[in-house]
Amino acid sequence: MSTSATTTAVPLPTRDAGSDNKPQPVWSLESNRSSSPPLSEKCDKIGRQGGICCKELKNEDDRMLIDPDVIRDIIIGLSDGLTVPFALTAGLSGLGTSRIVVVGGLAEIIAGAISMGIGGFLASKAERDHFRFLRRSTYSRVMRSCVGEMEREVHEVLGPIGVDEPTSQAVTNCLRRAEDESGFDASTSTDAEKSSLGMKSESGLSAFLLKFGEGLEDIPTRRLYLSAFTIGMSYLIGGIIPLIPYFFLAQALDALKISCIITGIVLLIFGAVKSRVTGAARSVLGYIWGAVSTMAVGGFAAAAAYGLVIAVERSSIS
């Protein structure tokens, strides 16, 4: 039997190949196999200089990527927690005693953390309710619309990124078949109902139009409580930092000086870390800008609050 010169022999994986974390076989793009290799095993690693697989290129970024929603909640909570209580304690420091600052600061931190947590919960819930309303209406519209209208809508999504009309029509037909096979009933709204009925609401034409046309995805119930907890705890942790010196110094102005130093350093670190995690910092200047801008916002808020209290105290208002 003759074999082509471009065919590369690759050993097939054993049954326990996944247990010892061995790499899966990679089939050359020029392979003349009788059947097309799976997408997960198809790569030009063999013909590329250095033998680097494309999958390994995904790990070039050494940042610890976390759920962007969690990152957003942490940034919201810490930013407000480091800024608002710091401004409040700076303002109350003009009254003279640390006791007033501690009492007022603790009250604000606790109330603020609860308020921020509830706000995060309600915002996520409103976003979920909006998605589920659009999911029902989109599913109903897809079921009542003709093939031509659906092909136009799919091409409106795929066309701007370079997909031609015949390919868009093929994608539309594939998605319509997936919609029919999923058996998704848009009247159901809870994850438990969808699971019990075997529904696949994340596949099909309706899911495509929502995700890529509207940029919307369903929010699980767990996400609501996680958002509330993350924002509230981040605010609480951030708010305690400016208040620490007031627990140990009786004179508020002396504690304010130390609080400014501590909070300024924390704001600088937080700004740099935020730039790192979000990917905004592409160079050393990016880290510097993220740190300085974050500290500038907190410093401006604290200076404004302190100046306002001093101005009111020196005025004739009793």
Side-chain angles (χ1 to χ4, degrees):
M1 181 182 293
S2 61
T3 58
S4 174
T6 59
T7 304
T8 303
V10 179
L12 294 175
T14 59
R15 291 182 178 272
D16 58 347
S19 59
D20 52 2
N21 296 326
K22 292 182 179 179
Q24 296 296 322
V26 178
W27 297 94
S28 173
L29 297 181
E30 287 86 21
S31 175
N32 291 332
R33 297 174 64 203
S34 57
S35 59
S36 177
L39 290 178
S40 60
E41 301 175 9
K42 190 176 182 180
C43 186
D44 197 26
K45 175 180 180 180
I46 299 175
R48 183 183 290 115
Q49 184 178 3
I52 300 177
C53 181
C54 300
K55 299 175 184 178
E56 300 174 10
L57 300 178
K58 295 181 180 180
N59 299 324
E60 287 185 343
D61 188 356
D62 58 353
R63 292 184 297 124
M64 292 184 60
L65 297 179
I66 310 175
D67 186 349
D69 292 329
V70 175
I71 293 296
R72 180 199 61 185
D73 293 341
I74 292 176
I75 291 176
I76 291 174
L78 278 179
S79 297
D80 286 356
L82 288 170
T83 304
V84 177
F86 179 45
L88 176 65
T89 54
L92 294 178
S93 296
L95 301 179
T97 61
S98 295
R99 180 179 177 83
I100 297 177
V101 178
V102 170
V103 173
L106 287 176
E108 194 283 330
I109 292 171
I110 295 175
I114 296 174
S115 176
M116 292 287 291
I118 294 176
F121 177 87
L122 294 178
S124 298
K125 186 177 185 301
E127 186 177 353
R128 185 187 66 174
D129 294 341
H130 176 64
F131 170 83
R132 290 182 174 178
F133 169 77
L134 287 181
R135 183 177 61 187
R136 290 191 296 268
S137 61
T138 301
Y139 178 81
S140 176
R141 180 168 56 82
V142 167
M143 292 295 100
R144 291 183 289 108
S145 299
C146 65
V147 176
E149 174 60 24
M150 292 297 96
E151 290 177 348
R152 284 190 291 271
E153 291 197 23
V154 171
H155 188 63
E156 287 178 359
V157 178
L158 299 179
I161 59 176
V163 179
D164 55 21
E165 290 188 6
T167 305
S168 297
Q169 293 173 353
V171 171
T172 304
N173 294 330
C174 182
L175 291 174
R176 285 182 68 89
R177 288 194 298 269
E179 188 92 38
D180 296 336
E181 293 173 0
S182 65
F184 169 64
D185 183 2
S187 62
T188 61
S189 58
T190 63
D191 297 337
E193 290 174 342
K194 289 185 292 185
S195 299
S196 62
L197 296 177
M199 298 176 181
K200 304 175 182 178
S201 60
E202 295 183 358
S203 62
L205 189 53
S206 300
F208 173 85
L209 294 176
L210 283 172
K211 183 174 183 178
F212 299 102
E214 302 292 339
L216 298 175
E217 293 186 81
D218 197 6
I219 299 177
T221 302
R222 182 181 65 88
R223 173 67 195 145
L224 274 62
Y225 298 98
L226 180 61
S227 178
F229 177 80
T230 304
I231 294 178
M233 286 302 299
S234 298
Y235 186 94
L236 184 65
I237 294 173
I240 287 292
I241 294 175
L243 203 61
I244 293 176
Y246 295 92
F247 289 102
F248 304 99
L249 298 176
Q251 293 298 320
L253 292 179
D254 296 336
L256 175 62
K257 297 176 183 178
I258 301 178
S259 178
C260 290
I261 297 174
I262 295 176
T263 308
I265 294 174
V266 172
L267 285 171
L268 285 173
I269 297 174
F270 171 67
V273 172
K274 179 181 67 175
S275 300
R276 172 66 175 177
V277 173
T278 59
R282 300 182 180 180
S283 63
V284 177
L285 293 178
Y287 290 104
I288 296 176
W289 169 251
V292 173
S293 60
T294 303
M295 187 186 68
V297 172
F300 177 78
Y306 181 78
L308 179 61
V309 171
I310 294 298
V312 171
E313 186 181 12
R314 293 180 179 178
S315 66
S316 58
I317 301 177
S318 57

